[in-house]
Amino acid sequence: MPQACSHCGCLNQSTHDIIRNGTMNSVVLLGQYNFQPVYLKLKKQRYLCKHCRRTTVAITPLTRRHCFISNAVKYVIIKELAQMQSMTLIAQHLNVSTTTVIRQLKTYGDNLNPKPSRLPSHLAIDEFKSVKNVPRAMSCLLMDNATHQMVDILEDRTQRYLRAYFLRFSLEERRQVKTITMDRYSPYRDFLPRLFPNAHVIIDRFHIVQLLNRVLNAYRIRVMNRLRYTQPRDYTKLKRLWKLLLKPREALDFTHYHTHRLFDGLISEKGMVDYLIQLDAQLARTYDFVHRLIEAIRYRRFQAFETTLMESKKYVFPHKVRTAFRTLTSYALDIENSLTYTLSNGVVEGTVNKIKMIKRSGYGYRNYGHLRCRILISTQLQQLNAEPVRPLYFCDEAAL
Ligand SMILES: [Zn+2]
C-alpha cells in the first residue's frame, strides 16, 4: 500500500484514505532467450484515494514509468552499442525497434559528453572524415597523449572554430600544455602553437620515416621507367626487388649467398642492393642519405640527423627528394622533440581508425550527433584509468 496519495499528498492511515481499486495489466520486455523475446505479464495494483477520488498505479523497479522495455534490456543496448555492429542489428537481436536503440544512444551518449574544463599537459590532435553535413565533412579529435583518454570531439576542424574552442580556456590553462602531437600534414602546425605558448610541437616519427621512404621509392620508379626499353633486365630487377631498397641497411643479409632467377651466379641481399643502386648515381646518393636519416631517427640521434641534412646541401638530388629534405629542415625543431619524447600520434590515429570502423559498421552515418554519441560510448566504456601509459621521455624509458 502507498504511504500517501501521490496526487493530494494525504497520508494513508486507514481504509478511509486509500483503498485497492482493481489492477492494470501491462507487458514488460524482460530480455531474450534464444533470440526470442521474453515478456513478463504484470498485474499492477491500482489504488484509489478517497479524498481526491483519483487513482494511482503501483510502480515496479523493472522499468521506468510509462515504459514497457525493462531497464535491463536498455542496459544491454548500451553495452551492445560499444561494439562494432549496426544499430539495426542490435534492435533485431534484442527485439526492440531501431528508434529505441537510437533513443538509448542519445540519452546515454549525451551523459558521456565531455565538457573539458581543463586541458591535458600532452595534447594529441588529428582529424577524421565524419559526416556530410559538417563543414568540409571533416571533424577533429583531441586526446590526452599521456593517459590515452579522449578529451573532446570537435565537429569542425577549421582554424576559426579551433581558435574559438581553445580560446575558451584561460591563458594559464593553455600555458600548462607541454606538448602537442600532430601528423606531418597537419593544417594546425602553424597556428596552434600560437595558442599554446609553452607547448613543444611533436611530429610523429613514423610520418617522417614514411616521407623518406616514399621519396626513395618514387625515385626508384623514375629510374625504373627510364630503363624500361634500354635495359629491360634491370627494369625487372628494379621492379621486383623494391622491398630490398626500403629494408633497413643493417637488416640486409650479406653472409648468405643464393641463386636468384634475376641474377647470374650466387648473390646476397646486400649484393642485390649494391647492384640496384649503381644503376643510377642519384639513386645511390638518395639511398645513402635517406637511410642515414632513417637510422638517425631510429636511434634517436638528432645531431646525426641534422648534420646529414646539412651535408645533403652539397650534392645534387632529384627534385622531390630535395623538397622532402627541405621540408625536414623546416621541421627540425619538431623532429628534435619527437626524438626526445616517447609520444607519438599512434593513439589518436588508432582512435580515428576505430571511428572508421564504427562508421562502416553502421553503413555510414548521416547524423553527426549520433556518430559522436557512438564514438563516446565505444571509447569511454573501455578506458577508465587515468594513469600515464608509458614514460614520457626516451631517456626515462631506457632507465627502466
Ligand atoms: Zn488523494
Side-chain angles (χ1 to χ4, degrees), residues 32-304:
Q32 50 91 26
Y33 178 73
N34 287 349
F35 293 106
Q36 296 297 315
V38 176
Y39 294 108
L40 175 72
K41 275 192 179 168
L42 200 62
K43 256 188 185 171
K44 287 184 191 166
Q45 180 69 52
R46 206 166 58 158
Y47 301 100
L48 174 73
C49 169
K50 283 188 170 175
H51 298 277
C52 64
R53 310 297 299 169
R54 289 163 81 179
T55 55
T56 43
V57 175
I59 49 167
T60 160
L62 282 177
T63 64
R64 299 234 319 273
R65 278 189 80 165
H66 309 299
C67 297
F68 73 93
I69 295 171
S70 71
N71 294 333
V73 172
K74 287 182 179 168
Y75 180 67
V76 175
I77 293 177
I78 293 164
K79 289 277 271 189
E80 293 290 314
L81 278 171
Q83 306 300 322
M84 302 292 162
Q85 53 187 337
S86 77
M87 293 198 270
T88 330
L89 192 68
I90 299 173
Q92 261 177 31
H93 283 175
L94 299 176
N95 297 294
V96 293
S97 68
T98 319
T99 328
T100 310
V101 179
I102 292 176
R103 202 179 305 126
Q104 281 310 110
L105 174 79
K106 277 203 248 174
T107 341
Y108 194 72
D110 283 345
N111 286 336
L112 287 178
N113 215 352
K115 290 190 191 73
S117 52
R118 311 213 54 195
L119 286 169
S121 307
H122 302 279
L123 192 67
I125 186 167
D126 202 1
E127 52 189 31
F128 64 95
K129 205 159 184 323
S130 65
V131 293
K132 260 190 222 149
N133 52 16
V134 306
R136 282 183 225 114
M138 297 296 272
S139 296
C140 190
L141 181 67
L142 296 179
M143 287 186 83
D144 182 334
N145 211 353
T147 61
H148 291 188
Q149 289 208 312
M150 175 89 76
V151 174
D152 209 344
I153 308 169
L154 311 182
E155 185 171 344
D156 192 345
R157 61 105 197 242
T158 52
Q159 242 189 63
R160 223 179 66 189
Y161 185 90
L162 282 174
R163 182 184 298 274
Y165 177 84
F166 284 121
L167 283 179
R168 288 192 332 212
F169 298 96
S170 66
L171 180 64
E172 276 318 292
E173 190 60 38
R174 281 180 282 128
R175 259 184 214 281
Q176 62 85 32
V177 174
K178 294 196 190 88
T179 67
I180 313 173
T181 316
M182 54 184 83
D183 62 26
R184 188 174 60 82
Y185 322 97
S186 185
Y188 323 117
R189 172 66 192 88
D190 297 321
F191 86 95
L192 264 192
R194 270 181 261 151
L195 297 174
F196 302 98
N198 291 341
H200 289 150
V201 174
I202 299 177
I203 284 191
D204 199 313
R205 291 176 293 279
F206 169 75
H207 283 107
I208 308 167
V209 175
Q210 197 188 35
L211 168 73
L212 287 168
N213 274 334
R214 198 174 296 150
V215 291
L216 174 61
N217 205 31
Y219 190 63
R220 173 193 61 89
I221 294 170
R222 264 188 62 194
V223 175
M224 181 180 95
N225 287 334
R226 204 180 59 220
L227 301 179
R228 182 163 196 162
Y229 299 107
T230 49
Q231 292 155 260
R233 277 178 65 83
D234 291 335
Y235 167 83
T236 324
K237 283 172 191 155
L238 278 170
K239 194 174 167 71
R240 294 281 153 80
L241 301 172
W242 63 275
K243 250 185 197 167
L244 281 185
L245 282 187
L246 302 183
K247 199 170 174 180
R249 285 196 289 196
E250 70 259 32
L252 284 177
D253 188 352
F254 59 91
T255 46
H256 295 90
Y257 282 75
H258 304 278
T259 52
H260 193 284
R261 68 196 157 79
L262 292 173
F263 291 90
D264 304 323
L266 293 169
I267 194 154
S268 68
E269 276 185 357
K270 176 89 171 55
M272 290 193 245
V273 169
D274 288 342
Y275 179 83
L276 292 179
I277 59 176
Q278 58 79 34
L279 290 172
D280 182 280
Q282 285 202 28
L283 181 65
R285 199 177 298 134
T286 308
Y287 177 84
D288 180 42
F289 272 82
V290 162
H291 277 275
R292 273 163 66 182
L293 290 171
I294 292 177
E295 280 153 22
I297 290 170
R298 188 175 312 128
Y299 298 111
R300 297 187 290 281
R301 292 192 199 117
F302 182 68
Q303 205 64 50

Side-chain angles (χ1 to χ4, degrees), residues 302-317:
F302 182 68
Q303 205 64 50
F305 187 83
E306 223 175 11
T307 33
T308 313
L309 275 184
M310 286 296 281
E311 200 188 324
S312 75
K313 287 183 184 159
K314 290 188 228 155
Y315 303 98
V316 181
F317 281 99

Side-chain angles (χ1 to χ4, degrees), residues 294-357:
I294 292 177
E295 280 153 22
I297 290 170
R298 188 175 312 128
Y299 298 111
R300 297 187 290 281
R301 292 192 199 117
F302 182 68
Q303 205 64 50
F305 187 83
E306 223 175 11
T307 33
T308 313
L309 275 184
M310 286 296 281
E311 200 188 324
S312 75
K313 287 183 184 159
K314 290 188 228 155
Y315 303 98
V316 181
F317 281 99
H319 177 66
K320 276 186 184 153
V321 180
R322 170 62 66 209
T323 318
F325 287 172
R326 214 174 287 141
T327 317
L328 291 181
T329 315
S330 69
Y331 287 146
L333 214 58
D334 306 354
I335 294 170
E336 186 175 10
N337 291 331
S338 81
L339 300 186
T340 321
Y341 289 96
T342 56
L343 300 170
S344 77
N345 230 17
V347 56
V348 240
E349 269 165 44
T351 313
V352 165
N353 247 337
K354 192 167 188 180
I355 293 173
K356 274 187 201 159
M357 298 268 288

